[in-house]
Amino acid sequence: MNEDEQWELLEKLVVDRILFLEFRIANYNEWKSGFRAAELLVELKQELGCYRDLKAFVDQKRAQ
């Protein structure tokens, strides 16, 4: 696997995780309530932010 293929694979994994987290967040917003759900929602949003940052980094590297 060459470097380009590695970046492509990383991008796919990151995008899949972003989509999964967005789904989970939407699900929590719709169905969950209470303090623990609020904590989990904050954690999911933080993780989503990290993956979006990683996606931006991957996009930048692939553009070089």
Side-chain angles (χ1 to χ4, degrees), residues 24-37:
R24 292 279 312 263
I25 289 168
N27 189 39
Y28 266 87
N29 281 334
E30 191 171 326
W31 299 107
K32 306 292 181 185
S33 62
F35 180 72
R36 182 65 184 137

Side-chain angles (χ1 to χ4, degrees), residues 47-62:
E47 185 177 353
L48 178 60
C50 291
Y51 276 96
R52 285 183 174 158
D53 289 346
L54 181 56
K55 172 74 167 85
F57 174 78
V58 169
D59 289 344
Q60 178 185 6
K61 284 294 188 180
R62 291 194 73 201

